[in-house]
Amino acid sequence: ADAPYPSILAPDIVRIEAPDLCHRFTARILKNVKVGPSPAWLVERLQAVGERSINNIADITNYVMLETGQPMHAFDLDKLAENRIVVRRAKPGESIATLDGVDRKLDESMVMICDAGKPVAVGGVMGGLDSSITDSTTNVLLEVAYFDRVNIRKTSRKLGLVTEASYRFERGVDIENLKRASDRAADLMVEFAGADDADLIDVHPTKRAAVDIISQDVPAAVARLTGLNVAETEALRILNSLGIGSEESADSPHSFTVPSWRHDLALEEDLVEEVARHTGYELIGTELAPAFHAGQYQPSELRERLLRRSLASMSFDEAVSYSFIDTGLDGVFETVAGLHNDGAEEKYITLQDSVIVGAVRMRPTLLPGLLDAVRLNFNHQRRTIRLFEIGKVFASAGGEDGLPTERKLLSMVITGSDELEGRSSTRRELDFYDAKGAVEAALSAVGIERAIYAPAGAAHLRTGQSASISIDDSVVGTFGRLNEEIGVNYKFKQPVYVVEIDIQAVLAAAPDSVFYQALPKYPSVVRDVSLAVSRSTQLTTVLDTLQAHGQDLCRSVSFVDLYEGKGLSDERSLTIRLEYRSDDRTLVEAEVDAAHDAILAALSEDLGIEPRK
């Protein structure tokens, strides 16, 4: 009496406590059932579609499911406590032994078919072992129901249990087909199991709302989207033959009523697809439909192309690696600034079903994929490698929408040596400065010349050979030599230098202004000077001081070479090149000497650095 659902013939037998998950539930009791083997024709038809025969009752439910598309289940009525069915959500800590003999843990999101005390089936997925049909069964409760599609899919994935029933419920069954399917199964049980049929119990808490699609002109829509010319009478004939009813009045467009078994129809374009499918896809012409806004570049796309070209010109090969990595790499590599949400319980995104065995983590860095590529090249005896990758990395939800964070990064790997022709030493090992040069060239390609490089530590980089990259006071990346621990894990026997830059942040920064000026008419004078500096002095400090005190004639200051070795204990030798030029005359030696001496005197006064003798 307290169940406000219509069409309840026997409320003591069926009760729905989760109408949001079970929209309709039908049941009927068949008595004096004789369980035994199925007739030969039924066994043959099931075997033809890959189903094995169990007994006549189970075979009939499987056969009618395949025949009508409606899953159903038969319970042994005498095994149901109080001979009742209650459809509810699972309670915390509940479990059920399903027909496959596996004990499955349940949670409160799952809809369960229960008796008076315990679950006897996972709604829409699989029945329970305790209430299954056996040779001793004499009374059967036949259940045919309509469950929420989304809930069945989630339940199936959580339990790792995909069945013929869940497959159909996920894709949608016909809520108006339940009585027909139940009648069909009951008739077969009466005929081939000697059952006595009973009235149908139909609990229908959620009535299906009719779905209508409005179309101003279906033939015109078909022509616009497919190029097919279909007469209106033919289009209406096709749609009506598919069960799609239509109404038209003088003052309103066509209204099409979607049948209950077509869950995929919602828009005018869906009607166009049905008309085109039955008219014949092969009749659609090969010309492209007009597109007035296609072919436009995204704001950062052109700069990305320049970046790729720049790296390719420096002998870099582009790599494309998997977006999934092993959980053993968690915390091994330091990620770019701002990727992770500090307030999130879990930093990483984990896949429930991995594409690659063990690789269940969405990558927070591109470096694991590049280092795997380096190891593969080493195994094939290729020792000089320059690789880069531009791709997305992922972290746990950081926004209000709850979606994972995605950032586009640029990562590079450099290792090996340069081949030098015409030199006494024909090989030069690639080092930290080659990595820095690659970074400078990459940023320059996208119009960024103002980047600042400073010593900085990173979890995956070697102390003393690592640096940060900053633009407008924001750190956008790091580069340096891979540390020994990671190198040993990858079995690297030579130095490997890595770069990782938040290229999304770089491309969001305004490019530097480009200034053009006429080529110089007069020759320049170049002076190289070797400076003895302490090991704690940074190159940028020296260069900035020289440029700050540069005379009008000094046009550029650049690094040439570094020497550490014999004759230098606590110092190193920096070779710096200074270029002097005038725009209106050719310089004489005395002018260059005066400017050069003034710059060196300022360097000595500010930093105490003197030229080597």
Side-chain angles (χ1 to χ4, degrees):
D2 58 344
Y5 307 132
S7 305
I8 301 181
L9 301 181
D12 293 335
I13 297 177
V14 177
R15 177 177 176 82
I16 299 179
E17 295 180 356
D20 58 325
L21 302 183
C22 180
H23 300 165
R24 188 177 183 184
F25 192 98
T26 69
R28 67 201 314 154
I29 295 174
L30 300 104
K31 296 185 177 181
N32 301 320
V33 174
K34 298 177 180 62
V35 179
S38 298
W41 68 268
L42 181 54
V43 174
E44 290 175 359
R45 292 188 181 186
L46 289 175
Q47 290 177 343
V49 293
E51 293 284 341
R52 65 182 181 89
S53 176
I54 302 172
N55 56 54
N56 54 352
I57 301 300
D59 290 353
I60 287 171
T61 60
N62 288 333
Y63 177 75
V64 176
M65 177 187 68
L66 296 169
E67 186 180 53
T68 64
Q70 173 62 53
M72 58 187 63
H73 187 68
F75 297 92
D76 187 328
L77 180 65
D78 298 323
K79 295 179 181 178
L80 300 178
E82 300 182 12
N83 297 139
R84 294 175 56 201
I85 285 293
V86 179
V87 183
R88 59 170 173 80
R89 292 177 182 270
K91 297 178 181 178
E94 278 190 322
S95 64
I96 184 175
T98 47
L99 286 172
D100 56 1
V102 178
D103 190 50
R104 302 184 185 277
K105 303 297 182 182
L106 309 174
D107 66 43
E108 296 176 76
S109 68
M110 301 176 184
V111 60
M112 307 302 297
I113 302 174
C114 311
D115 60 15
K118 64 183 184 304
V120 293
V122 182
V125 181
M126 183 177 283
L129 188 62
D130 293 342
S131 60
S132 60
I133 302 297
T134 63
D135 292 343
S136 61
T137 299
T138 57
N139 299 312
V140 171
L141 187 147
L142 177 64
E143 164 262 314
V144 185
Y146 183 96
F147 297 103
D148 181 72
R149 297 167 57 186
V150 175
N151 180 264
I152 297 302
R153 185 179 190 280
K154 290 181 178 179
T155 299
S156 175
R157 297 303 182 272
K158 286 179 180 179
L159 296 178
L161 185 61
V162 179
T163 63
E164 293 284 349
S166 68
Y167 182 88
R168 286 163 172 78
F169 277 122
E170 288 177 19
R171 286 153 181 79
V173 298
D174 183 4
I175 195 170
E176 305 298 342
N177 190 40
L178 271 61
K179 183 179 183 302
R180 171 174 168 268
S182 181
D183 290 344
R184 171 64 169 157
D187 290 343
L188 292 176
M189 290 181 187
V190 169
E191 182 177 356
F192 296 104
D196 297 331
D197 195 5
D199 290 334
L200 182 72
I201 302 168
D202 189 354
V203 185
H204 201 334
T206 306
K207 295 293 185 180
R208 174 183 174 271
V211 177
D212 294 325
I213 300 176
I214 303 299
S215 175
Q216 299 288 342
D217 190 342
V218 172
V222 172
R224 174 172 55 84
L225 295 174
T226 68
L228 294 173
N229 293 314
V230 182
E232 183 176 14
T233 54
E234 176 63 11
L236 294 178
R237 184 194 68 80
I238 291 173
L239 295 176
N240 293 336
S241 299
L242 295 172
I244 304 172
S246 62
E247 295 181 3
E248 183 182 17
S249 61
D251 56 349
S252 65
H254 266 105
S255 175
F256 295 89
T257 302
V258 177
S260 57
W261 62 86
R262 290 302 300 270
H263 302 274
D264 57 327
L265 303 181
L267 307 171
E268 182 184 54
E269 287 78 0
D270 298 326
L271 301 180
V272 170
E273 182 180 4
E274 295 302 313
V275 173
R277 182 163 61 92
H278 287 271
T279 301
Y281 285 152
E282 70 278 4
L283 300 179
I284 297 176
T286 57
E287 67 272 10
L288 292 174
F292 302 102
H293 301 287
Q296 296 181 356
Y297 287 115
Q298 295 298 316
S300 62
E301 192 171 353
L302 287 174
R303 297 171 74 190
E304 278 190 34
R305 293 179 66 186
L306 293 173
L307 172 61
R308 285 184 165 91
R309 289 178 182 175
S310 175
L311 293 174
S313 69
M314 294 188 295
S315 301
F316 277 83
D317 295 310
E318 184 169 5
V320 179
S321 57
Y322 288 110
S323 297
F324 323 110
I325 61 175
D326 193 272
T327 55
L329 295 171
D330 291 351
V332 173
F333 300 92
E334 188 166 314
T335 57
V336 295
L339 177 66
H340 290 296
N341 176 21
D342 295 334
E345 295 181 2
E346 176 60 41
K347 295 170 58 178
Y348 306 104
I349 302 298
T350 304
L351 302 175
Q352 292 186 356
D353 300 312
S354 62
V355 178
I356 306 171
V357 176
V360 297
R361 193 77 81 209
M362 295 294 290
R363 64 186 182 187
T365 170
L366 304 180
L367 294 178
L370 288 178
L371 294 179
D372 285 341
V374 171
R375 178 167 55 190
L376 180 64
N377 278 271
F378 282 172
N379 291 340
H380 286 79
Q381 307 304 314
R382 184 180 178 187
R383 297 296 175 185
T384 298
I385 303 164
R386 292 181 177 90
L387 294 176
F388 79 93
E389 180 175 4
I390 299 175
K392 287 188 176 181
V393 297
F394 309 87
S396 57
E400 295 181 358
D401 54 7
L403 296 176
T405 300
E406 297 184 22
R407 301 291 294 178
K408 182 177 283 189
L409 304 189
L410 163 67
S411 292
M412 292 183 276
V413 173
I414 302 170
T415 184
S417 59
D418 266 342
E419 299 290 340
L420 304 175
E421 295 183 2
R423 302 287 184 90
S424 57
S425 177
T426 58
R427 298 177 68 87
R428 182 189 67 83
E429 295 297 324
L430 298 176
D431 55 23
F432 175 88
Y433 298 103
D434 291 288
K436 182 173 182 288
V439 172
E440 291 175 331
L443 296 181
S444 177
V446 297
I448 301 295
E449 302 284 356
R450 62 184 184 275
I452 303 299
Y453 307 92
H460 58 282
L461 299 179
R462 186 173 180 177
T463 303
Q465 294 194 44
S466 60
S468 64
I469 309 163
S470 300
I471 299 175
D472 300 333
D473 298 326
S474 297
V475 176
V476 297
T478 58
F479 67 96
R481 180 174 172 176
L482 197 66
N483 67 33
E484 292 82 352
E485 182 180 356
I486 299 176
V488 169
N489 290 338
Y490 279 93
K491 298 182 180 179
F492 294 159
K493 297 181 179 179
Q494 64 187 53
V496 176
Y497 299 89
V498 297
V499 178
E500 189 147 71
I501 302 173
D502 186 348
I503 199 65
Q504 186 171 322
V506 172
L507 295 177
D512 293 329
S513 300
V514 178
F515 297 96
Y516 296 90
Q517 59 186 15
L519 293 174
K521 297 180 179 179
Y522 300 97
S524 61
V525 177
V526 174
R527 294 284 178 91
D528 289 351
V529 56
S530 293
L531 306 172
V533 300
S534 67
R535 293 182 177 272
S536 61
T537 301
Q538 298 180 20
L539 172 64
T540 54
T541 302
V542 177
L543 295 180
D544 290 344
T545 301
L546 290 172
Q547 289 174 340
H549 293 283
Q551 305 291 308
D552 292 340
L553 299 180
C554 183
R555 298 307 173 89
S556 69
V557 179
S558 58
F559 168 77
V560 176
D561 197 10
L562 172 69
Y563 173 74
E564 296 174 322
K566 187 177 180 180
L568 296 172
S569 56
D570 298 329
E571 295 179 320
R572 63 182 73 181
S573 176
L574 288 178
T575 301
I576 305 297
R577 176 164 297 167
L578 297 96
E579 182 182 8
Y580 299 92
R581 186 180 64 250
S582 173
D583 294 331
D584 53 12
R585 66 186 186 281
T586 299
L587 295 176
V588 298
E589 193 75 13
E591 291 177 299
V592 175
D593 288 343
H596 189 68
D597 291 342
I599 292 174
L600 295 182
L603 181 66
S604 176
E605 182 179 348
D606 288 357
L607 300 179
I609 296 176
E610 300 288 345
R612 290 186 64 195
K613 301 301 183 182

